């Protein structure tokens, strides 16, 4: 086990993937591989496997607040990142807590659609993410479909990726990495 007193602490704010390949499970594995102690805020649960997402169940807002209070009272969280936040209410709750705890080094992974095509963030959630969460972020890391939604444009080449990144950056986030593409 990685000791929080010996290694830096990071926080993942995401959904729990019952299949273990995405969500906070993937974040924890990555953080630990980088010798970082992992803390978590469970934004929701999924019934999920390699075939797709069979169900998504958001966490109660008060529980999100309790998790933030608990983690922040005990750990020196040096970086945080989001994953699936499910809907507008959870996006706004996370944004409220990021502001309240003045979290620096904040990365938004705007999880909106699962690999199999299942929606993981509703349209109001996308708007809340654009207006309330991205301006708090140090970095946003959309894949191509997410970048298309955030930039409100179709991306068909490398120049489109750059344009989308610039449009996303104009939403208030300092840095953008658009992932994917055969270019």
């Amino acid at each position: 086990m990685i000791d929080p007193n010996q290694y830096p602490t990071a926080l993942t704010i995401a959904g729990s993937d019952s299949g273990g390949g995405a969500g906070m499970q993937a974040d924890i594995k990555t953080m630990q591989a980088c010798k970082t102690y992992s803390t978590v805020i469970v934004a929701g649960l999924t019934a999920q496997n390699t075939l797709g997402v069979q169900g998504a169940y958001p966490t109660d807002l008060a529980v999100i607040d309790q998790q933030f209070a608990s983690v922040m009272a005990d750990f020196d969280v040096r970086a945080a990142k989001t994953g699936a936040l499910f809907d507008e209410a959870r996006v706004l709750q996370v944004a409220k807590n990021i502001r309240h705890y003045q979290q620096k080094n904040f990365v938004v992974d705007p999880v909106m659609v699962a690999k199999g095509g299942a929606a993981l963030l509703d349209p109001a959630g996308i708007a809340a993410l654009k207006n309330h969460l991205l301006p708090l972020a140090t970095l946003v890391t959309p894949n191509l479909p997410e970048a298309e939604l955030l930039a409100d444009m179709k991306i068909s080449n490398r120049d489109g990726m750059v344009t989308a990144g610039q449009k996303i950056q104009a939403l208030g986030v300092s840095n953008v990495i658009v992932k994917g593409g055969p270019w």
Side-chain angles (χ1 to χ4, degrees):
M1 177 163 161
I2 294 178
D3 182 348
N5 297 314
Q6 186 176 1
Y7 295 100
T9 298
L11 170 65
T12 176
I13 308 156
S16 178
D17 169 12
S18 58
M24 68 178 43
Q25 286 80 354
D27 291 345
I28 292 166
K29 291 173 192 176
T30 301
M31 289 172 183
Q32 290 186 340
C34 294
K35 301 251 188 246
T36 301
Y37 186 80
S38 306
T39 58
V40 301
I41 305 295
V42 181
L45 304 172
T46 64
Q48 183 172 341
N49 57 29
T50 61
L51 304 175
V53 177
Q54 294 78 40
Y57 311 95
T59 301
D60 183 270
L61 299 177
V63 175
I64 290 173
D65 285 347
Q66 283 183 311
Q67 291 176 90
F68 266 103
S70 182
V71 168
M72 296 306 195
D74 191 28
F75 298 95
D76 176 21
V77 176
R78 297 195 189 164
K81 76 164 290 286
T82 65
L85 298 178
F86 301 94
D87 59 24
E88 177 186 32
R90 272 121 207 104
V91 170
L92 293 174
Q93 202 75 5
V94 168
K96 177 189 88 168
N97 279 284
I98 293 298
R99 281 191 309 275
H100 176 77
Y101 293 104
Q102 300 175 348
Q103 180 61 55
K104 304 292 184 230
N105 303 312
F106 178 52
V107 177
V108 173
D109 180 0
V111 176
M112 298 180 200
V113 181
K115 257 186 204 177
L120 295 176
L121 187 61
D122 65 4
I126 294 170
L129 187 136
K130 289 167 85 170
N131 296 320
H132 299 282
L133 206 57
L134 288 186
L136 302 174
T138 308
L139 171 68
V140 61
T141 60
N143 61 28
L144 287 176
E146 294 160 349
E148 288 178 340
L149 286 169
L150 291 173
D152 194 28
M153 64 177 279
K154 182 74 176 139
I155 301 171
S156 58
N157 56 39
R158 189 180 179 134
D159 289 340
M161 291 174 76
V162 171
T163 300
Q166 292 167 336
K167 285 183 168 190
I168 296 165
Q169 193 171 34
L171 297 171
V173 62
S174 303
N175 302 285
V176 180
I177 297 175
V178 178
K179 306 177 292 189
W183 317 287

